[in-house]
Amino acid sequence: MRDAITGLIGRYDQLGRYFDRNAVDSIEAYLSESEVRIKAVELINREATEIVREASQRLFAGDPELLLPGGNAYTTRRLAACLRDMDYFLRYASYALVAGDSTILNERVLNGLDDTYKSLGVPTGPTVRSIVLLGEVVIERLQGDDSIPSALLAAVRQPFDHLAAGLGESNISQR
């Protein structure tokens, strides 16, 4: 798995170039966001179960039909699969946070996921919504930490937005 700096070095090495101002700015941005990324990962590690619980409660409050007969979270088995997948997305978002590179989610999560979900009859709309909610819960919990400048919270949102956009490129309106 690569990180933001390794990817940058690889690109400049392929070009046979020294770092230019853009490369140095990218490295500085990565390093300036490192504290908030680490705090976000520590929060996720410490409170993953609660983050998934809160995000799922918001999802089902907004889409209660998911829990009703015929809904994709109806039956204990399907609900457990939904919560498992939310935990999976949260864990991989934490990896992308540490790496400072959301594109690692393409290979590790997104490639083939849409086809898998389609074959299982899992609607992508609520899945995308659950990912967005996971990001919102993490951001809200970090906002309580006065040592984190709110401007840096966008770095925490990136992997969640990347996952949501990656799944959302397919058919998110289908339920």
Side-chain angles (χ1 to χ4, degrees):
M1 194 177 292
R2 78 178 181 171
D3 60 40
I5 293 176
T6 304
L8 187 69
I9 291 169
R11 285 191 302 276
Y12 276 77
D13 183 40
Q14 281 182 332
L15 297 171
R17 293 180 44 207
Y18 289 100
F19 287 141
D20 56 20
R21 185 75 241 164
N22 290 335
V24 173
D25 289 346
S26 293
I27 293 169
E28 286 177 349
Y30 174 75
L31 295 175
S32 71
E33 297 168 347
S34 64
E35 185 177 346
V36 72
R37 291 176 187 281
I38 295 300
K39 285 185 178 198
V41 170
E42 288 172 339
L43 171 78
I44 291 169
N45 290 344
R46 187 176 59 247
E47 300 180 25
T49 302
E50 286 300 308
I51 293 167
V52 169
R53 182 192 58 74
E54 187 171 332
S56 67
Q57 286 177 340
R58 292 180 188 185
L59 174 68
F60 298 134
D63 287 324
E65 68 275 1
L66 292 169
L67 295 170
L68 298 174
N72 256 53
Y74 179 70
T75 75
T76 306
R77 182 183 61 78
R78 284 183 164 187
L79 176 59
C82 176
L83 298 175
R84 177 208 60 216
D85 286 0
M86 289 177 74
D87 186 68
Y88 176 77
F89 294 129
L90 184 62
R91 180 170 50 91
Y92 271 98
S94 75
Y95 298 164
L97 279 167
V98 169
D101 184 359
S102 293
T103 62
I104 64 172
L105 298 169
N106 296 343
E107 176 186 335
R108 303 287 176 165
V109 181
L110 293 172
N111 290 347
L113 184 63
D114 185 49
D115 291 336
T116 301
Y117 274 7
K118 281 181 185 171
S119 71
L120 295 171
V122 175
T124 53
T127 303
V128 169
R129 181 73 181 129
S130 72
I131 293 167
V132 169
L133 289 167
L134 287 168
E136 288 176 4
V137 171
V138 170
I139 296 286
E140 287 168 13
R141 291 181 181 213
L142 286 171
Q143 285 173 330
D145 185 336
D146 294 333
S147 69
I148 299 175
S150 58
L152 292 180
L153 291 175
V156 176
R157 186 175 301 283
Q158 285 175 341
F160 298 100
D161 289 348
H162 187 85
L163 284 167
L167 279 175
E169 287 176 359
S170 52
N171 192 358
I172 68 163
S173 63
Q174 230 180 40
R175 289 198 186 259

